[in-house]
Amino acid sequence: MVAPERLDRPFQDPLVRRLFPPLATGVHWGLERTERALAALGDPHRAYPTIHVGGTNGKGSVTSTLASVLQVDGRRAGCYTSPHLCSFRERILVDGRPLDEDTLLARAAEIHDVVIGCGLTFFEAVTVLAFHVFARERVEFAVMEVGLGGRLDATNVIRPEVSTVTNVAMDHADFLGDTLEEIAWEKAGIMKPGIPFVTAEPAPGLRAVFEEVARERGTSVAYLEPDAVRDVVVAPDATSFSMTTEAWGALSLRTPLVGRHQATNAALAVAVLDRLPGEHRPGGSSILEGIARVEYHGRDELEVIDGVTWLLDVAHNTAGIDSLVDTLDRLDLPGPRVALVGVLGDKDWAAMLPPLFSRVDRAILTQSPTAPPERRWDPVAAAAAVPGITELVVEGEFARAFEQARLGASGGTVIVTGSVHTVGGAMKLLDREPLRSFDR
């Protein structure tokens, strides 16, 4: 089965053209090509222990948090996430840092013939590259984020120490199923026999799906209950909370990632680490420091620039918008509030926009600058279809829309959201690309 273009498309990063020849960017289901390529390279994915992270929302935050804790604990940690915001180099980190271009190009050259010979898609090639990089860079642990779904995702060739699914929400229905139960089944496909599985998904019906798959796979499911995350305080620069663990007892934690949902994400990362085998389990001080030092951009990221507060959040589905507006409700951000929104055409923008519109004074709908042509939405149609805000402007050219938002929010707040493409485009115009902080 070949599906349409997916979100992990290379976003016009010129580095990608130097890494690989043109590759298919559709979803070509199956693990056979990835397994064949890895076997030809000596199975680099088996050279180090791993943790596997899936879910609809929050999986990148959990992946980055896990890698941060392992790194603080003294492990040379690999971190694989997707998609990127501005540069491909964001996807593959070793000890919290991207590889320089020359090293990344050298590693890609080493697998070039295998990529071509096995007919890998773009995402498969990137995943194989990540496994190869981690082996060549001698990582001692790798945390791998699922790209899409789980069961047939290219990352699902590993046998991890622990696997986790953050949650299940409607997204990528064309690929994963029309119901939450079907999506949960696909995501549960990362379960492995005898390997601990942890989730923060609260819905009983979806937990039943996980339990059924766990019985079939010969494993068990552990849950992070909603009430396990206590005393949550959301501030513009951090989120604080407390929880109780088996390995480390009561913990008071602080993550620089902002939002009530980020407390859940960090707590889930702790629950995963709590279930690592003893020889891999980090110390309690590493938990505290690693969570406090995590860096993951474009997720309710706040910065004041020239008198304007910018909130950058990649919310690209209804569940993501719900988390974003919860954060807006918890923070006393200055007004006027202007939303700069660019959504992909295959998303449920009719459900996403009203909750956001109810929290802002003005909205500007635009086209994400790197959105694939076949996935572009119609902001004019969206503006006509979604009521609920007095000042609604459509400006299809992103740079002009960005400038309108900046000028309209003088002394106030611009909320940039709707897709990774939109946030990445704004970061470039703000000169706040993630590699600036990674490379400092």
Side-chain angles (χ1 to χ4, degrees):
M1 173 180 176
V2 180
E5 299 288 289
R6 56 180 284 167
L7 190 60
D8 66 24
R9 174 187 189 97
F11 293 13
Q12 303 176 14
D13 184 345
L15 174 61
V16 172
R17 292 194 295 272
R18 299 167 64 197
L19 287 170
F20 305 116
L23 299 172
T25 54
V27 179
H28 298 238
W29 292 126
L31 303 178
E32 296 81 7
R33 289 177 303 277
T34 302
E35 290 172 335
R36 191 163 62 249
L38 290 168
L41 294 169
D43 290 325
H45 59 308
R46 297 178 183 169
Y48 37 80
T50 58
I51 296 173
H52 206 187
V53 183
T56 301
N57 293 97
K59 59 185 183 289
S61 297
V62 172
T63 300
S64 299
T65 299
L66 288 165
S68 179
V69 171
L70 292 167
Q71 180 186 342
V72 166
D73 199 56
R75 263 56 86 74
R76 186 166 171 80
C79 181
Y80 177 57
T81 59
S82 63
H84 59 266
L85 286 163
C86 300
S87 168
F88 178 89
R89 291 171 60 212
E90 300 165 29
R91 297 184 181 220
I92 302 173
L93 305 181
V94 176
D95 265 356
R97 300 181 67 83
L99 274 66
D100 61 73
E101 282 196 13
D102 288 344
T103 301
L104 194 59
L105 287 165
R107 298 291 175 255
E110 290 166 359
I111 69 169
H112 175 276
D113 291 348
V114 170
V115 167
I116 301 303
C118 294
L120 301 187
T121 66
F122 173 74
F123 184 73
E124 290 168 346
V126 175
T127 301
V128 169
L129 176 61
F131 286 132
H132 176 68
V133 163
F134 293 155
R136 293 281 275 122
E137 296 295 320
R138 292 182 170 82
V139 305
E140 297 166 290
F141 219 113
V143 190
M144 308 295 297
E145 178 190 354
V146 170
L148 178 65
R151 181 175 64 95
L152 296 174
D153 186 77
T155 62
N156 201 28
V157 295
I158 58 176
R159 182 175 173 81
E161 302 298 319
V162 184
S163 56
T164 183
V165 167
T166 56
N167 50 50
V168 178
M170 290 303 298
D171 202 13
H172 300 298
D174 289 349
F175 307 149
L176 303 180
D178 296 324
T179 68
L180 289 173
E181 289 76 13
E182 290 175 323
I183 295 172
W185 185 79
E186 288 288 349
K187 293 185 183 300
I190 67 172
M191 290 186 190
K192 303 293 191 304
I195 301 300
F197 177 86
V198 191
T199 183
E201 173 54 53
L206 302 182
R207 288 185 170 193
V209 174
F210 290 142
E211 294 284 357
E212 180 182 356
V213 176
R215 284 192 296 271
E216 294 172 353
R217 298 287 173 89
T219 189
S220 60
V221 182
Y223 299 103
L224 177 73
E225 300 293 353
D227 60 3
V229 185
R230 304 184 302 274
D231 309 319
V232 178
V233 177
V234 178
D237 62 343
T239 305
S240 302
F241 66 99
S242 61
M243 66 181 297
T244 301
T245 65
E246 292 183 13
W248 308 286
L251 296 175
S252 295
L253 299 153
R254 182 181 186 274
T255 173
L257 304 181
V258 176
R260 173 63 177 78
H261 58 295
Q262 294 293 4
T264 299
N265 290 335
L268 180 60
V270 175
V272 169
L273 294 165
D274 205 357
R275 286 161 179 81
L276 283 176
E279 68 271 21
H280 294 311
R281 192 178 300 133
S285 61
S286 297
I287 297 288
L288 301 178
E289 185 180 350
I291 288 177
R293 286 174 52 178
V294 65
E295 188 167 337
Y296 194 52
H297 294 277
R299 278 73 183 171
D300 284 337
E301 185 170 359
L302 278 155
E303 187 164 0
V304 179
I305 302 172
D306 296 330
V308 176
T309 299
W310 293 84
L311 192 158
L312 304 161
D313 190 74
V314 301
H316 61 277
N317 53 33
T318 305
I321 288 291
D322 288 345
S323 294
L324 169 59
V325 299
D326 180 79
T327 300
L328 289 172
D329 291 346
R330 292 171 183 267
L331 298 178
D332 186 22
L333 299 179
R337 293 181 175 186
V338 179
L340 176 62
V341 185
V343 183
L344 293 174
D346 52 5
K347 302 298 181 178
D348 188 6
W349 48 260
M352 294 168 60
L353 296 180
L356 178 63
F357 284 178
S358 69
R359 270 76 171 184
V360 300
D361 303 297
R362 186 177 189 229
I364 301 171
L365 305 187
T366 189
Q367 201 67 258
S368 301
T370 56
E374 68 280 0
R375 297 187 70 197
R376 295 192 172 191
W377 74 326
D378 185 346
V380 174
V386 181
I389 189 169
T390 303
E391 291 193 53
L392 182 59
V393 176
V394 175
E395 172 52 70
E397 206 282 315
F398 185 78
R400 286 198 294 266
F402 174 91
E403 189 63 13
Q404 287 181 26
R406 186 184 67 81
L407 294 173
S410 178
T413 303
V414 178
I415 298 128
V416 183
T417 192
S419 77
V420 174
H421 301 267
T422 305
V423 171
M427 283 183 158
K428 289 183 177 180
L429 292 175
L430 290 168
D431 197 24
R432 292 300 191 276
E433 299 181 43
L435 288 187
R436 284 169 50 98
S437 61
F438 285 134
D439 288 342
R440 65 172 177 259

